Amino acid sequence: VWNNKPVYITGDRNLEASLEIADATVRIGDKALFEPVPSGLHVSDLSGIWAERTGLPFVFAVWAGRPGAVDRDLYRRLHACRRAGKQAIPEIARDYLWKGQARPEISEAYLRENIRYRFGSRELQALNGFLAAAARCGIIPAAPELKLAFHRWTSCHDRAAAASAGRS
């Protein structure tokens, strides 16, 4: 995006300390969600930039297994856990503490608005595109071939794309 060649280093987890040795730092997870950004710093939402540039969602994490490791029973149990977890979002948000403090309004909004709980064709396309870009940049040696197990259409977009391609 910015046509630069970053040098990746491992540094201090403290934001101010890491910026003493680097021009930029990546923050993920609780620190990115709950810790305020000091004044004078520019923040870029990398997933937002990805979505703007590609028109695809950004995949931060996914349950994955090698071929044959995920059977239909495990698939069903994982989906049952997903459904139960979505029902429990308010309770999860109320119970979560960051540095001893509950912030359910931030946690619940994040869990409802920023997390996708399904992985379908668009997410697979996005993840394969990201891996291909990482390989082109030399971050990984080669992009692995990813496939969906037990794939079912997960959105109207997927169904429309299949219909236009003559599949059902």
Side-chain angles (χ1 to χ4, degrees):
V1 169
W2 295 289
N3 291 322
N4 60 21
K5 300 269 185 201
V7 175
Y8 300 98
I9 59 173
T10 302
D12 194 306
R13 292 176 186 245
N14 175 281
L15 179 62
E16 289 80 9
S18 68
L19 289 173
E20 288 178 13
I21 61 170
D23 295 327
T25 187
V26 174
R27 303 198 87 199
I28 61 172
D30 292 341
K31 287 186 177 198
L33 187 60
F34 296 113
E35 285 189 359
V37 177
S39 64
L41 293 181
H42 172 76
V43 175
S44 294
D45 174 4
L46 298 179
S47 66
I49 293 168
W50 170 267
E52 181 181 298
R53 302 272 298 186
T54 67
L56 295 168
F58 189 84
V59 178
F60 285 96
V62 66
W63 281 96
R66 60 179 159 46
V70 179
D71 63 13
R72 182 60 74 179
D73 181 55
L74 178 58
Y75 175 83
R76 287 184 179 125
R77 286 188 288 153
L78 287 171
H79 278 277
C81 289
R82 176 192 52 80
R83 287 188 296 276
K86 281 189 78 174
Q87 292 293 322
I89 285 175
E91 183 179 347
I92 292 167
R94 280 192 307 273
D95 286 347
Y96 187 76
L97 299 176
W98 169 247
K99 294 187 175 182
Q101 184 177 3
R103 297 207 177 110
E105 69 289 349
I106 295 172
S107 299
E108 186 168 348
Y110 179 78
L111 292 171
R112 288 194 188 282
E113 299 166 17
N114 296 90
I115 303 290
R116 296 172 104 98
Y117 294 96
R118 293 194 180 266
F119 188 89
S121 298
R122 288 179 42 77
E123 291 78 14
L124 180 62
Q125 181 183 0
L127 187 53
N128 279 325
F130 185 85
L131 292 170
R136 284 191 305 277
C137 293
I139 296 170
I140 59 174
E145 179 186 1
L146 302 178
K147 298 177 183 177
L148 292 179
F150 311 115
H151 183 257
R152 288 180 26 195
W153 300 116
T154 58
S155 72
C156 295
H157 173 79
D158 288 344
R159 288 185 199 105
S164 67
R167 300 181 306 199
S168 61

